[in-house]
Amino acid sequence: MSCLLEARGISKQFGGVQALQDVSLTINHGEIYGLIGPNGAGKTTFFNVLTGLYARDAGEVSLDGKPLPLGKPHAISIAGFARTFQNIRLFANMTALENVMVGRHARTASGVIGAILRTAAARGEEQAIRRRAEELLHYVGIGDRTHDLARHLSYGDQRRLEIARALATEPRLLALDEPAAGMNASETAALRTLIEGLRADGITILLIEHDVKLVMGLCDRVAVLDYGRKIAEDVPEQVRRNPAVIEAYLGVGVGAA
Amino acid sequence: MKRYPQLRMLATIALLLLLPFAVGTMGNAWVRILDFALLYIMLALGLNIVVGFAGLLDLGYIAFYGVGAYTYALLASPQFGVHWPVWLILPLCAAIAGLFGALLGAPTLRLRGDYLAIVTLGFGEIIRIFLNNLNSPVNITNGPQGIASIDPIAVAGVSLSRTLNVFGFEVHGLYLYYYLFAFVALLIVVVSARLQDSRIGRAWVAIREDEVAAKACGINTRNVKLLAFAMGASFGGVAGGLFAGFQGFVSPESFSLLESIMVLCMVVIGGMGHIGGVIFGGLLLAVMPEIFRYSAVPAQQALFGKVVIDPESLRMLLFGLALIVVMLYRPAGLWPEPRHRRELAGKKS
């Protein structure tokens, strides 16, 4: 399997805190890659470094062999790497449809002149944006909420809307930051179906998640972060048995003490 | 009415055409007030792009009005002895003001809210102080005396400042300016509305709602913000050019901080981000003080038999009171964007 994302030696420091230390990993085309770890292990920091929100202190990231620029989230999105946020970040006062239409920004081109003169090209593009946004809303299963304001959607639907908006940027790699956080069992099951569908449609997925059952059931490979270091990376069954991982989550066993 | 958009448009145009004659029955002074109201509406619409759409608080907006006004004044007055035609100057006013807008935007890209407001306030003052002092060593702006005897605006060779004789019917210059201003204001309304419903307009609102998420959607927030500053400023520049031609005189004191705040109040009281609301706010704040000016003295004399508070202080007092009341009871403005109505309309279609 060829590698889509490669991160080498990522380090990040916040003042005296070493949030990430020399973290390297590779994500292959078409896989669902899980990233887990106890609270404060540096998962979201790692995510923010990858997507350009934080500048990294050291290390390199490349997508499909091309290096990703530093500190330029929009360029990384255009390169084909989309993300969702742990604490949902929707455009609250825009409708669901408009939220997804914003996601099409990177893949469309019409500017001020086209908008003012309403040129045929600009109108055609606007229609295509709208059509694609409607398709995506149906795809994630909230087609009936198209014209509701984002802030009026239920929590689960807001998560779906965020995924639809990320999909609108036509990503090759979609990074989901704790998509199941705060979801009940049936919502989580529906989310799982959605993620499996995404993979079937050829999108590679990086999943940060606390719900270990979801991660273990869904991911092809899992990496574990603890105190900013990668302590394990393997298929789920192996990771589950890894003593270092058990120690990170549960502390040192009685036998070892 | 809603079912016949053409009919509605015709009614609006007829109203716009007849309005100065209705107002003119009270005297030409009121037509002049109407002309100024249209200039303020243009300014408010320009500021609405920056503050209403993109959510960038700008307290120095009047600087662009000043830049436009001085551009016109320098290119059509005895100051340098150049007398360019208006159709050449006005686009230049828009372009130069737009450039200044981008110039202001560039260093403030990382700032938001209060911090941005302070920097823009400073920028507005810098422009005014420059206009005030650029009379030495080389005299460009003529300093605090301002520039006088600016050429009046002429359309198709007809000067708008003279009374025009149309089939034996005398039309005062103020009416001619009214029609020109109404036409330009209408143009600005159309441009605003089209921008709002476009890819760029959505990007502006996305930045207002959540800048980080906007970046993650692939929006180059630097360019899109600069574009908002430049577009908003260019509207102000056009309004400034028209103002210079209309007044025939410009001086730095027309572009004080108070004017910036006035325009911001029009946007906020009318309804930030809503074109109709902003027009309403501009009209209200341009006309109300004038009505007040004429009615304060007689009203006090009728009530108390003498003038208790002089009209000027009373005006500011009531203005402040109105602001507080609006912020308390209609924080989104008097006529905010009817989003929920749009939600319902979308569902039906």
Side-chain angles (χ1 to χ4, degrees), chain B residues 37-85:
Chain B
L38 283 169
L39 287 177
Y40 275 116
I41 286 171
M42 292 177 211
L43 285 176
L45 284 169
L47 186 60
N48 183 47
I49 291 204
V50 184
V51 177
F53 293 171
L56 304 160
L57 186 51
D58 185 347
L59 281 184
Y61 184 71
I62 209 70
F64 307 122
Y65 189 52
V67 167
Y70 270 85
T71 303
Y72 188 100
L74 293 176
L75 293 175
S77 75
Q79 175 75 359
F80 292 142
V82 275
H83 299 277
W84 288 17

Side-chain angles (χ1 to χ4, degrees), chain B residues 35-36 38-40 42-43 60-72 93 97 127 131 181 232-244 246-247 250 254-256 259-260 263:
Chain B
D35 289 352
F36 269 107
L38 283 169
L39 287 177
Y40 275 116
M42 292 177 211
L43 285 176
Y61 184 71
I62 209 70
F64 307 122
Y65 189 52
V67 167
Y70 270 85
T71 303
Y72 188 100
C93 289
I127 296 284
L131 294 176
F181 290 1
S234 68
F235 290 2
V238 169
L242 293 173
F243 166 74
F246 176 53
Q247 279 288 79
V250 293
S254 305
F255 313 109
S256 64
E259 291 289 310
S260 282
V263 178

Side-chain angles (χ1 to χ4, degrees), chain B residues 191-214:
Chain B
V191 169
S192 282
R194 288 188 166 190
L195 280 175
Q196 186 176 26
D197 277 333
S198 74
R199 172 174 172 269
I200 300 295
R202 273 193 305 274
W204 284 336
V205 177
I207 288 177
R208 182 188 76 198
E209 293 289 311
D210 190 325
E211 195 168 339
V212 172

Side-chain angles (χ1 to χ4, degrees), chain A residues 9 22 37 51 60 63 85 90 109 124-125 129 147 156 161 182 191 194 198 205 230 232 247 251:
Chain A
D22 202 22
T51 52
E60 270 167 58
L63 189 74
F85 293 87
L90 287 167
E125 191 179 86
I129 291 173
H147 296 291
L161 178 55
L191 178 74
L194 176 62
L198 288 174
I205 289 166
K230 189 174 81 174
E247 192 187 310

Side-chain angles (χ1 to χ4, degrees), chain A residues 89 98 108 116 126 147, chain B residues 194 202 210 339 342-343:
Chain A
R89 302 192 83 137
E98 286 169 329
T108 46
I116 292 174
E126 191 70 12
H147 296 291
Chain B
R194 288 188 166 190
R202 273 193 305 274
D210 190 325
R339 268 290 170 171
R342 202 160 128 196
E343 265 184 281

